[in-house]
Amino acid sequence: MLLKTSADGSLRALRTLRQVVLASLCVCISFSAAASPAQEEDSAMENIVTEKKAEESHRQDSADLLIFILLLTLTILTIWLFKHRRFRFLHETGLAMIYGLIVGVILRYVVQVPRDASVVSTSCFVNASPATLLVNVSGKFYEYTLKGEISAGEVNDVKDNEMLRKVTFDPEVFFNILLPPIIFHAGYSLKRRHFFRNMGSILAYAFVGTVISCFIIGLLMYGCVKLMKHLGQLRGDFFFTDCLFFGAIVSATDPVTVLAIFHELQVDVDLYALLFGESVLNDAVAVVLSSSIVAYQPQGDNSHTFEVMAMLKSFGMFLGVFSGSFSLGVATGIVTFNKVLNGDPYVTKFTKLRDFQLLETALFFLMSWSTFLLAEACGFTGVVAVLFCGITQAHYTFNNLSPESQDRTKQLFELLNFLAENFIFSYMGLTLFTFQNHIFNPMFIVGAFLAVFLGRAANIYPLSFLLNLGRRNKIRSNFQHMMMFAGLRGAMTFALSIRDTATYARQMMFSTNLLVVFFTVWVCGGGTTQMLSCQRIRYMSFADGIERRSTKQESAWLFRLWYNFDHNYLKPILTHSGPPLTTTLPPCCHPLARFLTSPQAFENECQLKDDDSDLILTDGDISLTYGDITVSTDATGAHTSGGGGPAADDLDGELAYGDHELVMRGTRLVLPMDDSEPSFTGHLRM
């Protein structure tokens, strides 16, 4: 057991000693000796030495943090160079991993910072490893905290390199600090138009596909573990639940590299939506699924046998945790922020936060982050809660923010996502050499790669076949091959792996997952452009005329019901958008409707434009009239024009080119195709 030392004053230690003992958190070892002037002088010198050590430790910690800052700086500069030269064979996350590997090699084999461990005693035997240890030396108390366990053969190597241990972060740092902005940004920046257009398929891939992948990988790895045990290559316990846990955490996809290239090349929006939507939701499913597997506890002495009731209990925990986290995230996004920030008359007179944009942005940021911590404190999953909190706030709260806060929140979370993601990937490269308990088993690694490949295939191809039976817009075979190829592993797999590395099985999983992430990011991510060309997937603009407009028949019937309810009732209550409730509720409810509808909603009634209104065409067609020219577009996408000869033909041609841009009698009308607030711009064509 390796102990980290920090000296406290005797008065403070004596006051806390009684509480520590009562809490059974420490073991006291007392050494009594008579005080003397010489000992007092030694004590003064010891205090001086302790202060010097604290100062040296402070400088060392600053140097460690500087290493990561320099890593991010170098990554950003290289990204700029790649974008300037239009290099697409390596993404920024792959660059961060390479730089992390280089720094890890330097710290491991070049830089040597000796540890002050000149006195190592192994003769103190206790029954358990206490979290806190108080040592009484000549009347002075010292507090020690548990750092971790080391094997007996590594006792002599404790003082080899202190920096390797200092650059190893607490796993909770990733979950509580680095993951929340990444997950929140995914929900806050979600393109709802394309997401809801493919909502059924995304849910199928994220929920059913992740579970299928988990069990396929788990079963294959269990067979691999049995073979390893038969061949004598397994040096510790590795149970079936461990294999399922490995399947759950490695099923979390993170195609950030592929999506970045898709966005730059402007690949088909449906393919982008399917990959992005699956990756966002399946991270949440993988987290809850791994927690449910860990909670599997059959009755009896053997906790690794199969039991139906224990399995049903884990399944119930999966549903309960996911639904609870989902409800908490949505409720927090709706109630907390909109009742405070929406500027309703019965709230504004107390807050008026819109008048103080800095405070508005700060509160929005803190409450968004607190959603993650609140869910974790309540026993739910913060990843699910903060994801749906971000989606809810993008749909409701964003419309209530002042224009300055809208820009600030978008830029703030985009910046935090960029820094956190690159930090995690650079740390991945660093841990390949700085982590002290790696276990690399060639047979397990080869089995893991095969299992991951087969698990991804069992997810994509059978589900795509079933989904195409009911989809009007089929998922083509080349799209399926691209989704299969784009199943990269990333930040979530790493964070779930490093969270617990106490056992032999978990250490082997962590080491193997690092290699899986490296391979998928470098090989699959780097080969995205070539794969797109090989599959003959066209590059197109998100705003060009090739993008089709969703119609009533193409939208999911469940979403149509939700859209009508949301547009007519929820948005008028929670935002300044949507029709006033006086137009949707019966006359007998008009007093309540006027109370719940903000004055801004009445003012904006004539200029409302719902962000999601282009998802559903309620009347089945569109008619645009200008002077003696009328252009109609029906639900099938066909359009007709009437009136004035050549002018009508010209307008018809413009509409055929793209539904986002119409040119009528010298005036160009640009219809927005993104999810932002509408802004119609007109300028004269000379």
Side-chain angles (χ1 to χ4, degrees), residues 2-5 56-57 60-61 64 107 111-117 147 157-168 434 436:
L2 180 62
L3 299 173
K4 181 181 178 182
T5 308
E56 293 175 359
S57 178
Q60 183 63 50
D61 292 339
D64 296 338
L107 294 179
V111 179
Q112 295 294 325
V113 179
R115 181 185 179 90
D116 186 12
K147 182 66 176 179
D157 298 331
V158 168
K159 55 182 180 179
D160 277 354
N161 199 337
E162 174 68 2
M163 185 175 289
L164 293 181
R165 297 188 179 276
K166 289 211 170 198
V167 296
T168 303
T434 59
Q436 301 292 306

PDB file of all heavy atoms in Angstrom, residues 2-5 56-57 60-61 64 107 111-117 147 157-168 434 436:
ATOM      1  N   LEU A   2       0.673   2.066  -1.004  1.00  0.00           N
ATOM      2  CA  LEU A   2       1.454   3.280  -1.149  1.00  0.00           C
ATOM      3  C   LEU A   2       0.669   4.415  -0.523  1.00  0.00           C
ATOM      4  O   LEU A   2      -0.504   4.590  -0.774  1.00  0.00           O
ATOM      5  CB  LEU A   2       1.681   3.570  -2.637  1.00  0.00           C
ATOM      6  CG  LEU A   2       2.485   4.826  -2.946  1.00  0.00           C
ATOM      7  CD1 LEU A   2       3.883   4.718  -2.384  1.00  0.00           C
ATOM      8  CD2 LEU A   2       2.507   5.026  -4.452  1.00  0.00           C
ATOM      9  N   LEU A   3       1.328   5.226   0.378  1.00  0.00           N
ATOM     10  CA  LEU A   3       0.665   6.289   1.120  1.00  0.00           C
ATOM     11  C   LEU A   3       1.254   7.630   0.741  1.00  0.00           C
ATOM     12  O   LEU A   3       2.459   7.768   0.575  1.00  0.00           O
ATOM     13  CB  LEU A   3       0.801   6.066   2.632  1.00  0.00           C
ATOM     14  CG  LEU A   3       0.183   4.768   3.151  1.00  0.00           C
ATOM     15  CD1 LEU A   3       0.519   4.573   4.594  1.00  0.00           C
ATOM     16  CD2 LEU A   3      -1.306   4.778   2.956  1.00  0.00           C
ATOM     17  N   LYS A   4       0.363   8.623   0.585  1.00  0.00           N
ATOM     18  CA  LYS A   4       0.795   9.968   0.235  1.00  0.00           C
ATOM     19  C   LYS A   4       0.735  10.823   1.493  1.00  0.00           C
ATOM     20  O   LYS A   4      -0.262  10.815   2.205  1.00  0.00           O
ATOM     21  CB  LYS A   4      -0.137  10.537  -0.850  1.00  0.00           C
ATOM     22  CG  LYS A   4       0.263  11.925  -1.289  1.00  0.00           C
ATOM     23  CD  LYS A   4      -0.716  12.418  -2.320  1.00  0.00           C
ATOM     24  CE  LYS A   4      -0.354  13.817  -2.743  1.00  0.00           C
ATOM     25  NZ  LYS A   4      -1.306  14.349  -3.710  1.00  0.00           N
ATOM     26  N   THR A   5       1.811  11.572   1.763  1.00  0.00           N
ATOM     27  CA  THR A   5       1.954  12.250   3.046  1.00  0.00           C
ATOM     28  C   THR A   5       1.607  13.716   2.933  1.00  0.00           C
ATOM     29  O   THR A   5       1.933  14.364   1.974  1.00  0.00           O
ATOM     30  CB  THR A   5       3.400  12.119   3.551  1.00  0.00           C
ATOM     31  OG1 THR A   5       3.744  10.750   3.523  1.00  0.00           O
ATOM     32  CG2 THR A   5       3.539  12.683   4.952  1.00  0.00           C
ATOM     33  N   GLU A  56       7.962  22.789  -3.405  1.00  0.00           N
ATOM     34  CA  GLU A  56       8.415  21.989  -4.543  1.00  0.00           C
ATOM     35  C   GLU A  56       7.255  21.232  -5.185  1.00  0.00           C
ATOM     36  O   GLU A  56       7.173  21.116  -6.412  1.00  0.00           O
ATOM     37  CB  GLU A  56       9.503  21.020  -4.088  1.00  0.00           C
ATOM     38  CG  GLU A  56      10.803  21.699  -3.667  1.00  0.00           C
ATOM     39  CD  GLU A  56      11.814  20.703  -3.117  1.00  0.00           C
ATOM     40  OE1 GLU A  56      11.470  19.501  -3.053  1.00  0.00           O
ATOM     41  OE2 GLU A  56      12.926  21.122  -2.753  1.00  0.00           O
ATOM     42  N   SER A  57       6.364  20.722  -4.344  1.00  0.00           N
ATOM     43  CA  SER A  57       5.199  20.006  -4.875  1.00  0.00           C
ATOM     44  C   SER A  57       4.311  20.947  -5.680  1.00  0.00           C
ATOM     45  O   SER A  57       3.759  20.559  -6.725  1.00  0.00           O
ATOM     46  CB  SER A  57       4.403  19.383  -3.727  1.00  0.00           C
ATOM     47  OG  SER A  57       3.250  18.737  -4.203  1.00  0.00           O
ATOM     48  N   GLN A  60       5.888  21.444  -8.973  1.00  0.00           N
ATOM     49  CA  GLN A  60       5.752  20.237  -9.787  1.00  0.00           C
ATOM     50  C   GLN A  60       4.346  20.113 -10.368  1.00  0.00           C
ATOM     51  O   GLN A  60       4.161  19.758 -11.541  1.00  0.00           O
ATOM     52  CB  GLN A  60       6.076  19.005  -8.935  1.00  0.00           C
ATOM     53  CG  GLN A  60       6.042  17.692  -9.708  1.00  0.00           C
ATOM     54  CD  GLN A  60       7.091  17.648 -10.787  1.00  0.00           C
ATOM     55  OE1 GLN A  60       8.256  17.934 -10.536  1.00  0.00           O
ATOM     56  NE2 GLN A  60       6.682  17.310 -11.993  1.00  0.00           N
ATOM     57  N   ASP A  61       3.335  20.435  -9.551  1.00  0.00           N
ATOM     58  CA  ASP A  61       1.955  20.393 -10.043  1.00  0.00           C
ATOM     59  C   ASP A  61       1.739  21.401 -11.158  1.00  0.00           C
ATOM     60  O   ASP A  61       1.041  21.128 -12.141  1.00  0.00           O
ATOM     61  CB  ASP A  61       0.983  20.660  -8.892  1.00  0.00           C
ATOM     62  CG  ASP A  61       0.973  19.540  -7.867  1.00  0.00           C
ATOM     63  OD1 ASP A  61       1.384  18.419  -8.227  1.00  0.00           O
ATOM     64  OD2 ASP A  61       0.567  19.794  -6.717  1.00  0.00           O
ATOM     65  N   ASP A  64       3.169  19.986 -14.277  1.00  0.00           N
ATOM     66  CA  ASP A  64       2.323  18.935 -14.841  1.00  0.00           C
ATOM     67  C   ASP A  64       1.165  19.526 -15.635  1.00  0.00           C
ATOM     68  O   ASP A  64       0.843  19.071 -16.747  1.00  0.00           O
ATOM     69  CB  ASP A  64       1.793  18.037 -13.727  1.00  0.00           C
ATOM     70  CG  ASP A  64       2.909  17.281 -13.016  1.00  0.00           C
ATOM     71  OD1 ASP A  64       3.981  17.118 -13.624  1.00  0.00           O
ATOM     72  OD2 ASP A  64       2.713  16.876 -11.852  1.00  0.00           O
ATOM     73  N   LEU A 107       8.086  11.213 -20.617  1.00  0.00           N
ATOM     74  CA  LEU A 107       7.952  11.128 -19.161  1.00  0.00           C
ATOM     75  C   LEU A 107       8.347   9.755 -18.631  1.00  0.00           C
ATOM     76  O   LEU A 107       8.869   9.637 -17.521  1.00  0.00           O
ATOM     77  CB  LEU A 107       6.509  11.446 -18.749  1.00  0.00           C
ATOM     78  CG  LEU A 107       6.016  12.874 -18.995  1.00  0.00           C
ATOM     79  CD1 LEU A 107       4.570  13.021 -18.547  1.00  0.00           C
ATOM     80  CD2 LEU A 107       6.897  13.872 -18.267  1.00  0.00           C
ATOM     81  N   VAL A 111      12.468  11.647 -18.653  1.00  0.00           N
ATOM     82  CA  VAL A 111      12.409  12.466 -17.440  1.00  0.00           C
ATOM     83  C   VAL A 111      12.290  11.558 -16.227  1.00  0.00           C
ATOM     84  O   VAL A 111      11.439  10.673 -16.187  1.00  0.00           O
ATOM     85  CB  VAL A 111      11.213  13.436 -17.495  1.00  0.00           C
ATOM     86  CG1 VAL A 111      11.139  14.262 -16.215  1.00  0.00           C
ATOM     87  CG2 VAL A 111      11.331  14.336 -18.713  1.00  0.00           C
ATOM     88  N   GLN A 112      13.135  11.787 -15.249  1.00  0.00           N
ATOM     89  CA  GLN A 112      13.111  11.025 -14.005  1.00  0.00           C
ATOM     90  C   GLN A 112      13.051  12.000 -12.837  1.00  0.00           C
ATOM     91  O   GLN A 112      13.981  12.755 -12.601  1.00  0.00           O
ATOM     92  CB  GLN A 112      14.351  10.137 -13.880  1.00  0.00           C
ATOM     93  CG  GLN A 112      14.445   9.031 -14.926  1.00  0.00           C
ATOM     94  CD  GLN A 112      13.358   7.990 -14.777  1.00  0.00           C
ATOM     95  OE1 GLN A 112      12.942   7.662 -13.661  1.00  0.00           O
ATOM     96  NE2 GLN A 112      12.889   7.458 -15.892  1.00  0.00           N
ATOM     97  N   VAL A 113      11.932  11.995 -12.120  1.00  0.00           N
ATOM     98  CA  VAL A 113      11.771  12.823 -10.925  1.00  0.00           C
ATOM     99  C   VAL A 113      11.709  11.887  -9.733  1.00  0.00           C
ATOM    100  O   VAL A 113      10.682  11.240  -9.503  1.00  0.00           O
ATOM    101  CB  VAL A 113      10.497  13.686 -11.009  1.00  0.00           C
ATOM    102  CG1 VAL A 113      10.350  14.527  -9.746  1.00  0.00           C
ATOM    103  CG2 VAL A 113      10.549  14.571 -12.239  1.00  0.00           C
ATOM    104  N   PRO A 114      12.798  11.755  -8.964  1.00  0.00           N
ATOM    105  CA  PRO A 114      12.814  10.794  -7.856  1.00  0.00           C
ATOM    106  C   PRO A 114      11.754  11.124  -6.821  1.00  0.00           C
ATOM    107  O   PRO A 114      11.454  12.290  -6.549  1.00  0.00           O
ATOM    108  CB  PRO A 114      14.226  10.934  -7.275  1.00  0.00           C
ATOM    109  CG  PRO A 114      15.021  11.593  -8.343  1.00  0.00           C
ATOM    110  CD  PRO A 114      14.076  12.476  -9.091  1.00  0.00           C
ATOM    111  N   ARG A 115      11.204  10.097  -6.247  1.00  0.00           N
ATOM    112  CA  ARG A 115      10.217  10.247  -5.182  1.00  0.00           C
ATOM    113  C   ARG A 115      10.916  10.186  -3.836  1.00  0.00           C
ATOM    114  O   ARG A 115      11.834   9.398  -3.641  1.00  0.00           O
ATOM    115  CB  ARG A 115       9.172   9.124  -5.294  1.00  0.00           C
ATOM    116  CG  ARG A 115       8.068   9.199  -4.243  1.00  0.00           C
ATOM    117  CD  ARG A 115       7.167   7.993  -4.367  1.00  0.00           C
ATOM    118  NE  ARG A 115       6.111   8.009  -3.376  1.00  0.00           N
ATOM    119  CZ  ARG A 115       4.932   8.564  -3.546  1.00  0.00           C
ATOM    120  NH1 ARG A 115       4.675   9.151  -4.677  1.00  0.00           N
ATOM    121  NH2 ARG A 115       4.022   8.543  -2.596  1.00  0.00           N
ATOM    122  N   ASP A 116      10.462  11.009  -2.911  1.00  0.00           N
ATOM    123  CA  ASP A 116      11.048  11.015  -1.571  1.00  0.00           C
ATOM    124  C   ASP A 116      10.477   9.856  -0.787  1.00  0.00           C
ATOM    125  O   ASP A 116       9.525   9.992  -0.030  1.00  0.00           O
ATOM    126  CB  ASP A 116      10.740  12.337  -0.874  1.00  0.00           C
ATOM    127  CG  ASP A 116      11.458  12.451   0.470  1.00  0.00           C
ATOM    128  OD1 ASP A 116      12.342  11.613   0.719  1.00  0.00           O
ATOM    129  OD2 ASP A 116      11.118  13.370   1.245  1.00  0.00           O
ATOM    130  N   ALA A 117      11.031   8.698  -1.008  1.00  0.00           N
ATOM    131  CA  ALA A 117      10.559   7.489  -0.327  1.00  0.00           C
ATOM    132  C   ALA A 117      11.754   6.721   0.207  1.00  0.00           C
ATOM    133  O   ALA A 117      11.908   5.531  -0.014  1.00  0.00           O
ATOM    134  CB  ALA A 117       9.735   6.635  -1.277  1.00  0.00           C
ATOM    135  N   LYS A 147      -3.398   6.154  -1.615  1.00  0.00           N
ATOM    136  CA  LYS A 147      -3.148   6.464  -3.011  1.00  0.00           C
ATOM    137  C   LYS A 147      -3.528   5.306  -3.921  1.00  0.00           C
ATOM    138  O   LYS A 147      -4.082   5.498  -4.991  1.00  0.00           O
ATOM    139  CB  LYS A 147      -1.673   6.817  -3.199  1.00  0.00           C
ATOM    140  CG  LYS A 147      -1.306   7.195  -4.614  1.00  0.00           C
ATOM    141  CD  LYS A 147      -1.986   8.479  -5.038  1.00  0.00           C
ATOM    142  CE  LYS A 147      -1.526   8.899  -6.421  1.00  0.00           C
ATOM    143  NZ  LYS A 147      -2.185  10.122  -6.872  1.00  0.00           N
ATOM    144  N   ASP A 157      10.325  -0.130  -6.714  1.00  0.00           N
ATOM    145  CA  ASP A 157      10.237   0.819  -7.824  1.00  0.00           C
ATOM    146  C   ASP A 157       9.359   2.025  -7.501  1.00  0.00           C
ATOM    147  O   ASP A 157       9.050   2.820  -8.377  1.00  0.00           O
ATOM    148  CB  ASP A 157       9.653   0.116  -9.070  1.00  0.00           C
ATOM    149  CG  ASP A 157      10.547  -1.028  -9.527  1.00  0.00           C
ATOM    150  OD1 ASP A 157      11.763  -0.926  -9.300  1.00  0.00           O
ATOM    151  OD2 ASP A 157      10.016  -1.990 -10.108  1.00  0.00           O
ATOM    152  N   VAL A 158       8.967   2.153  -6.225  1.00  0.00           N
ATOM    153  CA  VAL A 158       8.061   3.226  -5.850  1.00  0.00           C
ATOM    154  C   VAL A 158       8.662   4.593  -6.138  1.00  0.00           C
ATOM    155  O   VAL A 158       7.998   5.513  -6.589  1.00  0.00           O
ATOM    156  CB  VAL A 158       7.681   3.104  -4.358  1.00  0.00           C
ATOM    157  CG1 VAL A 158       6.983   4.363  -3.882  1.00  0.00           C
ATOM    158  CG2 VAL A 158       6.784   1.905  -4.151  1.00  0.00           C
ATOM    159  N   LYS A 159       9.943   4.752  -5.904  1.00  0.00           N
ATOM    160  CA  LYS A 159      10.569   6.066  -6.029  1.00  0.00           C
ATOM    161  C   LYS A 159      11.180   6.309  -7.408  1.00  0.00           C
ATOM    162  O   LYS A 159      11.993   7.204  -7.568  1.00  0.00           O
ATOM    163  CB  LYS A 159      11.653   6.230  -4.965  1.00  0.00           C
ATOM    164  CG  LYS A 159      12.716   5.133  -4.974  1.00  0.00           C
ATOM    165  CD  LYS A 159      13.711   5.345  -3.849  1.00  0.00           C
ATOM    166  CE  LYS A 159      14.785   4.266  -3.831  1.00  0.00           C
ATOM    167  NZ  LYS A 159      15.767   4.483  -2.751  1.00  0.00           N
ATOM    168  N   ASP A 160      10.784   5.528  -8.412  1.00  0.00           N
ATOM    169  CA  ASP A 160      11.389   5.687  -9.736  1.00  0.00           C
ATOM    170  C   ASP A 160      11.030   7.021 -10.371  1.00  0.00           C
ATOM    171  O   ASP A 160      11.901   7.768 -10.790  1.00  0.00           O
ATOM    172  CB  ASP A 160      10.958   4.536 -10.656  1.00  0.00           C
ATOM    173  CG  ASP A 160      11.827   3.306 -10.433  1.00  0.00           C
ATOM    174  OD1 ASP A 160      12.793   3.425  -9.674  1.00  0.00           O
ATOM    175  OD2 ASP A 160      11.513   2.253 -11.001  1.00  0.00           O
ATOM    176  N   ASN A 161       9.739   7.310 -10.477  1.00  0.00           N
ATOM    177  CA  ASN A 161       9.340   8.527 -11.176  1.00  0.00           C
ATOM    178  C   ASN A 161       8.045   9.056 -10.582  1.00  0.00           C
ATOM    179  O   ASN A 161       6.975   8.508 -10.798  1.00  0.00           O
ATOM    180  CB  ASN A 161       9.148   8.258 -12.666  1.00  0.00           C
ATOM    181  CG  ASN A 161       9.185   9.548 -13.470  1.00  0.00           C
ATOM    182  OD1 ASN A 161       8.938  10.623 -12.950  1.00  0.00           O
ATOM    183  ND2 ASN A 161       9.503   9.422 -14.745  1.00  0.00           N
ATOM    184  N   GLU A 162       8.157  10.118  -9.822  1.00  0.00           N
ATOM    185  CA  GLU A 162       6.995  10.713  -9.186  1.00  0.00           C
ATOM    186  C   GLU A 162       6.076  11.386 -10.191  1.00  0.00           C
ATOM    187  O   GLU A 162       4.862  11.428 -10.010  1.00  0.00           O
ATOM    188  CB  GLU A 162       7.466  11.726  -8.142  1.00  0.00           C
ATOM    189  CG  GLU A 162       6.360  12.539  -7.486  1.00  0.00           C
ATOM    190  CD  GLU A 162       5.456  11.705  -6.598  1.00  0.00           C
ATOM    191  OE1 GLU A 162       5.710  10.492  -6.465  1.00  0.00           O
ATOM    192  OE2 GLU A 162       4.485  12.254  -6.056  1.00  0.00           O
ATOM    193  N   MET A 163       6.628  11.910 -11.294  1.00  0.00           N
ATOM    194  CA  MET A 163       5.811  12.624 -12.271  1.00  0.00           C
ATOM    195  C   MET A 163       4.789  11.701 -12.925  1.00  0.00           C
ATOM    196  O   MET A 163       3.684  12.125 -13.263  1.00  0.00           O
ATOM    197  CB  MET A 163       6.696  13.278 -13.328  1.00  0.00           C
ATOM    198  CG  MET A 163       5.923  14.136 -14.322  1.00  0.00           C
ATOM    199  SD  MET A 163       6.982  15.012 -15.483  1.00  0.00           S
ATOM    200  CE  MET A 163       7.709  16.231 -14.393  1.00  0.00           C
ATOM    201  N   LEU A 164       5.131  10.432 -13.119  1.00  0.00           N
ATOM    202  CA  LEU A 164       4.187   9.500 -13.732  1.00  0.00           C
ATOM    203  C   LEU A 164       2.923   9.380 -12.905  1.00  0.00           C
ATOM    204  O   LEU A 164       1.823   9.239 -13.444  1.00  0.00           O
ATOM    205  CB  LEU A 164       4.842   8.123 -13.898  1.00  0.00           C
ATOM    206  CG  LEU A 164       6.000   8.034 -14.895  1.00  0.00           C
ATOM    207  CD1 LEU A 164       6.513   6.602 -14.964  1.00  0.00           C
ATOM    208  CD2 LEU A 164       5.566   8.503 -16.273  1.00  0.00           C
ATOM    209  N   ARG A 165       3.073   9.441 -11.588  1.00  0.00           N
ATOM    210  CA  ARG A 165       1.892   9.347 -10.734  1.00  0.00           C
ATOM    211  C   ARG A 165       1.138  10.670 -10.682  1.00  0.00           C
ATOM    212  O   ARG A 165      -0.074  10.700 -10.564  1.00  0.00           O
ATOM    213  CB  ARG A 165       2.301   8.922  -9.317  1.00  0.00           C
ATOM    214  CG  ARG A 165       2.928   7.538  -9.284  1.00  0.00           C
ATOM    215  CD  ARG A 165       3.141   7.068  -7.858  1.00  0.00           C
ATOM    216  NE  ARG A 165       3.715   5.730  -7.850  1.00  0.00           N
ATOM    217  CZ  ARG A 165       3.014   4.609  -7.956  1.00  0.00           C
ATOM    218  NH1 ARG A 165       1.708   4.663  -8.057  1.00  0.00           N
ATOM    219  NH2 ARG A 165       3.612   3.438  -7.945  1.00  0.00           N
ATOM    220  N   LYS A 166       1.851  11.771 -10.769  1.00  0.00           N
ATOM    221  CA  LYS A 166       1.180  13.068 -10.668  1.00  0.00           C
ATOM    222  C   LYS A 166       0.369  13.384 -11.914  1.00  0.00           C
ATOM    223  O   LYS A 166      -0.639  14.093 -11.839  1.00  0.00           O
ATOM    224  CB  LYS A 166       2.208  14.166 -10.417  1.00  0.00           C
ATOM    225  CG  LYS A 166       2.801  14.115  -9.029  1.00  0.00           C
ATOM    226  CD  LYS A 166       3.176  15.506  -8.556  1.00  0.00           C
ATOM    227  CE  LYS A 166       3.539  15.476  -7.085  1.00  0.00           C
ATOM    228  NZ  LYS A 166       3.486  16.816  -6.484  1.00  0.00           N
ATOM    229  N   VAL A 167       0.782  12.907 -13.069  1.00  0.00           N
ATOM    230  CA  VAL A 167       0.023  13.192 -14.292  1.00  0.00           C
ATOM    231  C   VAL A 167      -1.131  12.212 -14.483  1.00  0.00           C
ATOM    232  O   VAL A 167      -1.843  12.295 -15.485  1.00  0.00           O
ATOM    233  CB  VAL A 167       0.939  13.147 -15.536  1.00  0.00           C
ATOM    234  CG1 VAL A 167       1.977  14.236 -15.470  1.00  0.00           C
ATOM    235  CG2 VAL A 167       1.589  11.778 -15.694  1.00  0.00           C
ATOM    236  N   THR A 168      -1.324  11.293 -13.541  1.00  0.00           N
ATOM    237  CA  THR A 168      -2.453  10.374 -13.581  1.00  0.00           C
ATOM    238  C   THR A 168      -3.596  10.987 -12.780  1.00  0.00           C
ATOM    239  O   THR A 168      -3.505  11.117 -11.566  1.00  0.00           O
ATOM    240  CB  THR A 168      -2.077   9.002 -13.001  1.00  0.00           C
ATOM    241  OG1 THR A 168      -0.961   8.477 -13.730  1.00  0.00           O
ATOM    242  CG2 THR A 168      -3.244   8.043 -13.093  1.00  0.00           C
ATOM    243  N   THR A 434       2.020   6.163 -18.980  1.00  0.00           N
ATOM    244  CA  THR A 434       2.088   6.595 -17.585  1.00  0.00           C
ATOM    245  C   THR A 434       1.259   5.736 -16.648  1.00  0.00           C
ATOM    246  O   THR A 434       1.504   5.742 -15.442  1.00  0.00           O
ATOM    247  CB  THR A 434       1.624   8.056 -17.455  1.00  0.00           C
ATOM    248  OG1 THR A 434       0.277   8.172 -17.936  1.00  0.00           O
ATOM    249  CG2 THR A 434       2.523   8.985 -18.259  1.00  0.00           C
ATOM    250  N   GLN A 436       0.219   2.743 -14.488  1.00  0.00           N
ATOM    251  CA  GLN A 436       1.155   1.822 -13.842  1.00  0.00           C
ATOM    252  C   GLN A 436       0.719   0.355 -13.875  1.00  0.00           C
ATOM    253  O   GLN A 436       1.526  -0.525 -13.573  1.00  0.00           O
ATOM    254  CB  GLN A 436       1.342   2.240 -12.370  1.00  0.00           C
ATOM    255  CG  GLN A 436       1.874   3.654 -12.202  1.00  0.00           C
ATOM    256  CD  GLN A 436       3.307   3.785 -12.688  1.00  0.00           C
ATOM    257  OE1 GLN A 436       4.187   3.048 -12.263  1.00  0.00           O
ATOM    258  NE2 GLN A 436       3.532   4.715 -13.593  1.00  0.00           N
TER     259      GLN A 436
END
